[in-house]
Amino acid sequence: MYSAPAEKTDSGNFPEEMNAEGVEILSGDPKKAIIKLSVPMIVAMSVQTVYQLVDTYWVSGLGADALAAMGFVFPFFFISMALSNGLGIGGGSAISRRIGARDKAGADNVAVHTIVMMMLLVLIFTIPFYVFAPQIFSLVGAGQTTYLAVAYARVIFLGSLVVFFTNVANAILRAEGDSKRAMQAMVLGAALNIVLDPIFIYTFNMGIAGAAWATLLSLAVSSLMMLNWLFLRKDTFVSFNFKDFSFEKDIVNDIFRVTIPASTQQLSMSLSMLILNLIIVNVSNTDGVAVYSTGWRVATIAIAPLIGIATAMVSVSGAAFGAKEFEKAKTAHTYAIKLGLLIESGVAVFTFIFAPQIAAVFTQTEDAAHIAPDLVHFLRVICIFYPSVSLGMLSTSFFQGAGKGMNALTANLLRTIVFTPLFAALFAFTLNMGQVGAWWGIVIGNGMGAGVTFVWARLYLSTILKTEPLNKPVEQGF
């Protein structure tokens, strides 16, 4: 292909000039690796979710209709995140496994393929969603908030390249264990967004579209930082050479083995949100969607530590499977689960106690004040499922790192497309509990899905440890 195979020393390690701190972390103690890689990402994800809350806070000043419009757009924004994150997870998993197998040239090859595939996805996503935005939001029940949803969404759709590159480049950095710089890019973008939101929304009088422009500009700054590291300074472990590039079937298949299930998994979350929006509109009105979308943004900051640990889990389990060190993968999974359960139990207690104060932050204006009691109720119900998220999210990341994306996808589809909508509809309609029933459906559906994923991961680990000799590569297929 376009890059020469990496030389190896007699010990089987990379040559000295190829060593990098992140690679050494991935090759060491899995518990330490989880901590060292997850802490920067926990910080980054926490700052990012704080920005999302600040974003919601400033938009809440425009009234409940603006909050509802954001709620209708969020599943579609989540689609772009799902596709880019899915590709990043797929490419990152393949890179980590090649790093674990001491294949530098293979890691470089995967990185180049990932960037080229990202560019193709941007074109496929951007054009139809931008052009048909009014029709799309009318179909999903936005009603009187359609014009606000279109104003916000079209800016986001227009900047899809920035959204996609930010997520994919960040995943490449994490895959080689460079979580510190991944954190720096994410934190700077989030902090900038917090500053720009009120300026674009109110000072420039751009309304809800101003929030979208602030988001896009902030992501652009993060993208430029990573563009500099990856392509200009070229001081990352993986390197890029696009000269004479051509797709290699084996590499594309390896990336897609995780990308397709990971993207589908996250897309199913978008579909689940759309279904829940329709259920809520039918048992309540657009105010119910405003409660759900605002409360769910609070939930995202509550599970931000888990997202940080999960990103570390993909890299650590990927490197362990690449090196055929399955006991290390088991240790990493067990340790990550315990850490996640401990953190999320504390977060759940905090959220339950301070739900009124949290809700008050987003309902200060006269137009939004009437949803405050419902928002408090939502926050106190939804926090019950926070600890169980650890079981599902971290087991999913374990499967993704191991290259077993379909396992995670199957369990996730049960959660998002079957369990959650089924119980939400059952409680909301059949048991006549209204929108509160939808909240309980979310809790029970997510909890059941998390339990299934965790049990599956442990059974898979047990089977691998019994049947796979250490000198035989693990099958990375579906």
Side-chain angles (χ1 to χ4, degrees):
M1 184 53 182
Y2 50 83
S3 57
E7 296 177 4
K8 296 182 181 181
T9 64
D10 293 337
S11 63
N13 292 324
F14 294 115
E16 187 65 29
E17 65 270 17
M18 289 183 179
N19 281 331
E21 181 183 356
V23 174
E24 294 304 314
I25 292 173
L26 290 176
S27 303
D29 182 350
K31 293 182 180 180
K32 291 181 179 179
I34 290 291
I35 292 295
K36 288 183 178 179
L37 297 183
S38 65
V39 168
M41 295 313 300
I42 288 173
V43 173
M45 295 308 305
S46 296
V47 173
Q48 276 212 322
T49 48
V50 165
Y51 123 67
Q52 290 178 12
L53 292 180
V54 172
D55 197 44
T56 303
Y57 168 78
W58 288 114
V59 172
S60 70
L62 301 173
D65 280 353
L67 285 174
M70 286 185 69
F72 284 109
V73 174
F74 189 67
F76 296 93
F77 179 64
F78 204 81
I79 290 173
S80 68
M81 300 297 285
L83 293 172
S84 55
N85 280 331
L87 180 58
I89 291 169
S93 171
I95 290 170
S96 293
R97 278 181 273 122
R98 281 160 177 77
I99 288 175
R102 302 305 196 190
D103 181 8
K104 170 70 165 62
D108 293 345
N109 205 343
V110 170
V112 172
H113 275 72
T114 303
I115 294 295
V116 174
M117 293 161 71
M118 178 209 74
M119 297 299 295
L120 295 176
L121 272 178
V122 168
L123 292 176
I124 294 171
F125 172 83
T126 303
I127 297 173
F129 279 103
Y130 183 87
V131 173
F132 298 108
Q135 294 86 343
I136 290 171
F137 290 107
S138 294
L139 285 174
V140 299
Q144 64 184 18
T145 67
T146 296
Y147 76 100
L148 290 172
V150 171
Y152 184 84
R154 274 190 159 161
V155 177
I156 297 296
F157 295 154
L158 193 64
S160 296
L161 176 60
V162 173
V163 175
F164 275 69
F165 181 77
T166 300
N167 290 323
V168 170
N170 205 275
I172 291 173
L173 290 173
R174 297 196 307 266
E176 63 175 50
D178 193 356
S179 59
K180 290 183 180 178
R181 287 200 293 187
M183 173 196 71
Q184 292 169 8
M186 294 171 70
V187 168
L188 177 62
L192 183 60
N193 206 329
I194 290 172
V195 173
L196 293 179
D197 259 337
I199 296 174
F200 278 78
I201 296 172
Y202 297 106
T203 305
F204 294 165
N205 199 29
M206 296 174 68
I208 194 170
W213 279 111
T215 297
L216 208 58
L217 183 58
S218 303
L219 288 175
V221 172
S222 295
S223 292
L224 288 174
M225 288 181 66
M226 291 182 285
L227 185 74
N228 177 47
W229 294 329
L230 292 170
F231 302 113
L232 300 179
R233 287 176 57 177
K234 299 181 180 180
D235 58 355
T236 53
F237 181 79
V238 296
S239 54
F240 298 82
N241 181 0
F242 294 92
K243 185 179 180 181
D244 300 323
F245 170 81
S246 63
F247 280 112
E248 292 186 13
K249 182 179 179 181
D250 289 344
I251 292 178
V252 172
N253 287 342
D254 194 18
I255 295 173
F256 273 157
R257 284 187 185 107
V258 176
T259 293
I260 292 176
S263 294
T264 304
Q265 178 179 320
Q266 295 192 41
L267 288 171
S268 72
M269 296 179 192
S270 297
L271 179 58
S272 179
M273 290 176 190
L274 289 172
I275 295 171
L276 287 169
N277 279 345
L278 290 173
I279 292 173
I280 293 165
V281 166
N282 276 278
V283 297
S284 177
N285 49 43
T286 56
D287 282 349
V289 176
V291 171
Y292 170 51
S293 63
T294 304
W296 195 252
R297 284 175 179 263
V298 175
T300 60
I301 194 171
I303 62 174
L306 286 183
I307 299 174
I309 298 171
T311 59
M313 189 71 232
V314 174
S315 299
V316 175
S317 62
F321 270 76
K324 297 180 284 293
E325 296 177 335
F326 310 126
E327 282 288 353
K328 181 183 285 189
K330 181 178 180 180
T331 299
H333 182 249
T334 301
Y335 184 72
I337 292 289
K338 290 179 179 178
L339 187 63
L341 285 171
L342 179 64
I343 293 173
E344 288 307 308
S345 294
V347 172
V349 172
F350 178 87
T351 303
F352 188 90
I353 293 172
F354 293 101
Q357 289 80 6
I358 296 170
V361 173
F362 305 102
T363 55
Q364 294 183 22
T365 66
E366 184 177 348
D367 287 339
H370 64 284
I371 68 172
D374 287 336
L375 183 55
V376 171
H377 197 164
F378 176 89
L379 293 173
R380 283 184 164 163
V381 170
I382 209 70
C383 73
I384 296 171
F385 94 101
Y386 292 166
S388 70
V389 179
S390 306
L391 302 175
M393 183 181 294
L394 300 177
S395 296
T396 295
S397 297
F398 161 79
F399 277 132
Q400 291 167 340
K404 302 292 291 185
M406 282 300 293
N407 295 32
L409 173 62
T410 302
N412 186 77
L413 290 178
L414 284 174
R415 175 174 65 85
T416 57
I417 304 301
V418 179
F419 292 151
T420 301
L422 176 65
F423 283 105
L426 175 65
F427 293 151
F429 298 119
T430 307
L431 299 183
N432 200 30
M433 293 175 63
Q435 67 180 18
V436 176
W439 310 158
W440 282 106
I442 294 171
V443 171
I444 295 174
N446 276 279
M448 291 181 66
V452 168
T453 311
F454 172 74
V455 171
W456 200 341
R458 300 309 287 187
L459 289 174
Y460 175 71
L461 268 169
S462 297
T463 302
I464 281 291
L465 288 168
K466 290 177 182 178
T467 61
E468 291 287 348
L470 294 182
N471 62 351
K472 179 182 178 181
V474 178
E475 174 61 43
Q476 299 295 345
F478 288 165

